[in-house]
Amino acid sequence: MRINPILLQVFKNRFAAIAEEMGVTLGRTAFSPNIKERRDYSCALFDRKGDMIAQAAHIPVHLGSMPLSVKAAIEAVEMTPGDMVMLNNPFCGGTHLPDITLVAPVFIAGETAFYIANRAHHADVGGMTSGSMPLSTSLFQEGMIISPTKLVEAGEIDRKLLDLLLTNIRTPVEREGDFAAQIMANRIGQKRLEELVAKYDLATVERYAENLNDYSERFMRAAIAAIPDGSYTFSDQLDSDGISETPVTIDCLLNISGDDARIDFSASDPQVAGSVNAVHAITLSAVLYVFRCLIQADVPTNAGCGRPLSVITRPGTVVDARFPAAVAGGNVETSQRIVDVVLGALAQALPEKIPAASQGTMNNTTIGGLDPRSGMPFAYYETLAGGHGAGPAASGESAMHAHMTNTLNTPVEALEYAYPFRVTEYSIRRGSGGRGRFNGGDGLVREIELLADAEVTMLSERRIHPPYGLQGGEDGQTGRNRVIHADGFRGMPGKFSARLKTGDRLRVETPGGGGWGKMT
């Protein structure tokens, strides 16, 4: 049947608005600062097969991998009206254990017509250290592993299951509030899709959802066709896996043929002992993100965007880890390096379009202990922004999240209200961006004084290998972690865990972005 181009745009925006409203609901009703302040969550809509129709402009590393979680839930659990399935298993389409996905069917006239899902990063899900982002060597050390399981059945929360989960978490009240927010976000999505079908009928809604995927595919193929045919290679390294000091290499071979792209990571290093292993879903997410950035038009990011992309990995490598590899840092750190190597390969094909490397890390900071104000446990998690890489037309932005994370910061006021902390410095790290015709963006400095004894864990990168410059631009400065005591300071590695005392300060200086072009 003929597709009305005006109605196609109407549906594009209606689908996106539903996902955005789900996100607003989740953010406004959540308990944890990580979700309500930083907005570390994502929401999306899927067709009856589990293919993505639309997403909100949330977290790239969540959204590219979420379809695999939705399909895992569909395959594992028979869902009936009122059900919701949760999972966080990285080997079932998840990313790492703190990211818990909640999937719900949308029934129309007695049959499943759509699925909706949201994924939120919970500040603690158990495991060996507060915040569930440890220097681990096994998935079992990182927290509770949840394979697809019904949290809500026929509209009622499974209280026994929820109590079991909350018993194994350091901050059960906060977690229960966040679970409730995820449930309400899905209910809003269900209601809005039902209203959309009531207005246009199911056949029309499904037809336009399918055509939006075709629409996005055409734009992606046009973007790939604009890249010169050929093979392009690039490799870069993670500083370490947190267990040994050995660098970890990620290698990309990019083949462009017409309007198809083949991205091969088979030459990357084998999976490692530490937690920087990435599951296949993360690699797919990073590649989809990079190629979506090549499309300048306002097209929906959906299943159609991925059709022209063939992502090749070798099982058992750091970009396609096998169970039970430790993966807490793969989602946040390795995803960033995968982006860097794909952009590095594309820079050879499109030297006047691709920017230099951004900070290349999320600077994951977790702090946990007992809050002396309440006597209750607390668990703080945050990713810290840094410098963006400069491009062929402008300098990089400073002190902003880049690439696979799209979160906000936790405001100082919210941070000091929620946790026993005092923020003693929060500033731009001037001069940390690489120089060039256009300068890389600067990183930031965040220094936190502890007002209680606490356990601190950092997972960060680009402390040894700097963000690269392009076309003659200088590299950005590496980041730096310090623990400051009353009698002096200690320089800390990129990945560490330490028990600190009241009055100690954690100082994180994040990397700057690479410069672009030779200085004139």
Side-chain angles (χ1 to χ4, degrees):
M1 297 179 66
R2 183 178 179 273
I3 295 297
N4 184 322
I6 296 175
L7 197 54
L8 187 71
Q9 292 297 312
V10 169
F11 273 103
K12 182 194 81 170
N13 289 288
R14 287 294 296 268
F15 288 138
I18 293 171
E20 291 285 358
E21 187 178 358
M22 290 172 61
V24 170
T25 302
L26 178 50
R28 288 188 174 181
T29 58
F31 279 30
S32 66
N34 189 55
I35 296 176
K36 69 182 179 182
E37 298 285 358
R38 293 188 59 244
R39 302 182 190 175
D40 196 347
Y41 58 78
S42 299
C43 302
L45 316 180
F46 303 82
D47 65 18
R48 65 178 73 222
K49 298 176 293 184
D51 290 330
M52 187 186 293
I53 297 171
Q55 58 173 267
H58 291 153
I59 313 299
V61 76
H62 289 176
L63 293 161
S65 57
M66 210 189 300
L68 297 182
S69 288
V70 173
K71 290 182 179 181
I74 294 171
E75 292 172 4
V77 180
E78 183 179 349
M79 287 179 258
T80 57
D83 293 351
M84 294 191 194
V85 173
M86 69 174 176
L87 68 157
N88 72 349
N89 190 335
F91 300 95
C92 292
T95 47
H96 58 180
L97 298 183
D99 285 341
I100 297 180
T101 304
L102 197 63
V103 182
V106 179
F107 278 80
I108 305 294
E111 63 173 318
T112 305
F114 305 98
Y115 291 92
I116 52 176
N118 67 71
R119 175 174 290 174
H121 183 117
H122 289 253
D124 189 272
V125 292
M128 63 190 287
T129 60
S130 297
S132 309
M133 295 287 288
L135 272 64
S136 49
T137 57
S138 166
L139 183 68
F140 298 109
Q141 298 171 336
E142 297 177 354
M144 298 179 303
I145 305 169
I146 308 168
S147 291
T149 307
K150 284 186 184 180
L151 176 63
V152 180
E153 186 165 10
E156 297 294 325
I157 296 173
D158 186 332
R159 192 68 226 183
K160 290 183 179 179
L161 173 61
L162 183 59
D163 288 344
L164 175 64
L165 297 175
L166 298 177
T167 302
N168 289 278
I169 293 173
R170 295 173 177 85
T171 49
V173 174
E174 188 176 88
R175 296 286 71 72
E176 184 171 4
D178 290 347
F179 279 129
Q182 288 188 265
I183 291 169
M184 292 312 299
N186 275 358
R187 286 181 175 165
I188 284 292
Q190 289 172 318
K191 182 179 179 181
R192 295 294 180 257
L193 273 173
E194 290 166 357
E195 292 170 351
L196 192 63
V197 170
K199 180 173 182 178
Y200 290 101
D201 75 62
L202 178 59
T204 299
V205 175
E206 287 188 311
R207 185 167 71 253
Y208 276 89
E210 182 181 352
N211 275 274
L212 280 168
N213 274 303
D214 295 340
Y215 178 73
S216 294
E217 180 184 359
R218 289 193 295 272
F219 273 89
M220 180 62 78
R221 290 194 179 279
I224 295 171
I227 304 171
D229 284 1
S231 295
Y232 310 95
T233 62
F234 195 85
S235 65
D236 202 349
Q237 292 183 315
L238 296 165
D239 295 338
S240 74
D241 69 348
I243 303 301
S244 75
E245 296 181 359
T246 305
V248 182
T249 300
I250 298 175
D251 186 275
C252 174
L253 170 61
L254 171 63
N255 284 293
I256 302 295
S257 178
D259 60 2
D260 287 295
R262 186 176 188 270
I263 308 95
D264 191 342
F265 298 95
S266 298
S268 299
D269 279 354
Q271 66 188 59
V272 292
S275 69
V276 298
N277 301 295
V279 295
H280 188 66
I282 290 171
T283 304
L284 290 177
S285 248
V287 171
L288 177 63
Y289 162 76
V290 171
F291 277 84
R292 174 62 184 83
C293 288
L294 297 178
I295 303 175
Q296 299 300 307
D298 180 20
V299 300
T301 304
N302 53 29
C305 290
R307 291 173 185 167
L309 306 175
S310 299
V311 179
I312 311 300
T313 57
R314 178 166 53 91
T317 58
V318 71
V319 294
D320 189 359
R322 301 291 84 184
F323 179 85
V327 299
N331 173 53
V332 286
E333 298 303 295
T334 309
S335 66
Q336 297 282 58
R337 195 63 72 258
I338 294 169
V339 168
D340 288 343
V341 298
V342 177
L343 285 172
L346 280 169
Q348 299 171 38
L350 301 170
E352 297 302 318
K353 289 187 177 181
I354 303 301
S358 294
Q359 68 160 340
T361 177
M362 296 191 196
N363 305 291
N364 305 268
T365 307
T366 54
I367 306 176
L370 287 177
D371 191 334
R373 300 171 299 181
S374 64
M376 299 296 292
F378 70 89
Y380 157 73
Y381 170 76
E382 184 163 16
T383 60
L384 301 179
H388 279 225
S395 295
E397 296 289 345
S398 296
M400 288 182 63
H401 286 283
H403 296 320
M404 298 307 287
T405 177
N406 190 35
T407 57
L408 303 179
N409 72 331
T410 304
V412 172
E413 297 83 359
L415 190 64
E416 294 182 340
Y417 176 81
Y419 304 107
F421 302 156
R422 178 181 294 118
V423 178
T424 53
E425 182 176 348
Y426 193 30
S427 62
I428 294 177
R429 188 185 174 203
R430 301 292 182 187
S432 55
R435 295 185 299 171
R437 186 190 311 168
F438 296 104
N439 295 333
D442 292 328
L444 61 75
V445 177
R446 188 157 213 174
E447 187 176 288
I448 297 174
E449 180 183 351
L450 301 181
L451 305 182
D453 294 353
E455 178 182 42
V456 175
T457 303
M458 282 285 305
L459 290 178
S460 59
E461 269 291 325
R462 294 295 196 196
R463 268 50 181 177
I464 297 173
H465 299 93
Y468 58 78
L470 281 180
Q471 315 308 327
E474 295 180 359
D475 294 343
Q477 287 188 18
T478 54
R480 184 162 55 188
N481 305 327
R482 289 181 175 179
V483 171
I484 303 170
H485 306 288
D487 57 354
F489 71 86
R490 284 186 293 156
M492 305 298 286
K495 302 170 184 68
F496 72 89
S497 188
R499 291 194 171 273
L500 303 184
K501 298 292 186 180
T502 302
D504 290 341
R505 286 176 284 159
L506 173 67
R507 182 180 179 88
V508 182
E509 301 176 8
T510 66
W516 196 97
K518 293 181 180 179
M519 292 183 65
T520 58

